[in-house]
Amino acid sequence: MTADLFETVPGVRPSREAMADGAVLLRGFALPSESDVIGALREIIAQAPFRRMFTPGGHQMSVAMTNCGSAGWVTDHSGYRYDGIDPDSGKPWPSMPPAFRELAVRAATAGGFENFAPDACLINRYTPGARMSLHQDKDEQDFAAPIVSVSLGLPAIFLFGSPKRADKPRRYRLEHGDVVVWGGPSRLFFHGVAPLAEGEHVLMGRQRINLTFRKAR
Ligand code: MD3
Ligand code: FE
C-alpha cells in the first residue's frame, strides 16, 4: 500500500511528542509546505524588513523581528504591545499569507485545538549568538487560544520551563520543519532559546527563523 511505503521512508512521516499537558511537538510537520512558506516569507520581509527592537528597559534584542497579520508584536521604550501598524513603515503589517495560515490551522488541529484563528504572526530571526531569555507570552487577549510555532533553518536549543521562572528548563532541539503547538496549561509556561550555534543551513543559510502564530485580539 502507498501509505505503508511512505511510512518506511525515514523523515517523511511527521512524529508527535508530548512536551507537557497541552504542548505537542510535531517533528517535520512543515516540511511538505516548506517551499510555499519560504516563498511567502520572502515577500513579507520585502514589505516589512527584520529589525532589532528595543525592550522597555532600553536593551536592544539580539533577535531581529517582523510580523504579518492584522496585528503585530512590537516593543519599544513605552512597552510591549500588539499594533496593526508597522512603526518603521507607518503602514499596516503585510497580511497573513494563506500558506502561513493554513499550516498553522492544520498544526493546531493536529495538536488538539480546533478553530484556531490566528490574527498575528511574529517572525523571529536568529543569527549565530542570538538568544531569547526566559519569558512568558502574556500580551495576547485570549489565553484559551494556543500559540503555534514553526522552526526554519539552523537548529536551536529551545528552553521549556514551567509556570515558575526559577524552575530549571528542559532543553529541546528544534530543527527545520518542526512545529510546536502550545496550549492549555502550557500556554503560560516560561520558555526561551539558547544562543544560536554557528552553522549554515542548505535552504536558509546562516540563520534560524521562527514563526509564532497567535490570537492577539
Ligand atoms: C511556550 N519565540 O516569540 S517559539 C516568542 O523560537 C518565542 O523564537 C521562541 O518565545 C522562538 O515569544 C520560541 C515557541 C513558543 C512560543 C510561545 C510559547 C513556545 C511557547 C508560549 C507558551 C509556552
Ligand atoms: Fe515566547
Side-chain angles (χ1 to χ4, degrees), residues 54-194:
F54 287 85
T55 66
H59 297 283
Q60 191 172 21
M61 299 185 74
S62 58
V63 178
M65 299 176 164
T66 187
N67 291 275
C68 66
S70 58
W73 187 85
V74 294
T75 174
D76 61 17
H77 61 89
S78 71
Y80 308 127
R81 65 187 175 280
Y82 283 93
D83 199 315
I85 300 295
D86 174 353
D88 280 15
S89 70
K91 297 187 302 188
W93 297 103
S95 59
M96 195 181 294
F100 275 33
R101 185 184 304 279
E102 286 162 15
L103 173 60
V105 170
R106 280 193 295 109
T109 302
F113 296 88
E114 279 185 54
N115 307 122
F116 181 44
D119 56 8
C121 176
L122 171 61
I123 306 172
N124 295 326
R125 183 181 66 186
Y126 299 75
T127 50
R131 61 191 288 273
M132 194 175 285
S133 54
L134 277 188
H135 66 278
Q136 293 171 296
D137 288 25
K138 293 194 298 190
D139 301 320
E140 301 74 27
Q141 298 274 356
D142 178 11
F143 299 145
I147 290 180
V148 173
S149 109
V150 177
S151 292
L152 299 170
L154 291 176
I157 301 298
F158 175 72
L159 308 170
F160 190 39
S162 82
K164 290 180 286 178
R165 185 186 287 278
D167 283 350
K168 186 185 161 75
R170 285 180 288 161
R171 299 162 73 87
Y172 288 86
R173 189 172 190 268
L174 295 183
E175 294 183 18
H176 179 81
D178 290 349
V179 177
V180 192
V181 180
W182 320 84
S186 76
R187 175 64 182 74
L188 290 170
F189 280 20
F190 279 91
H191 59 277
V193 178

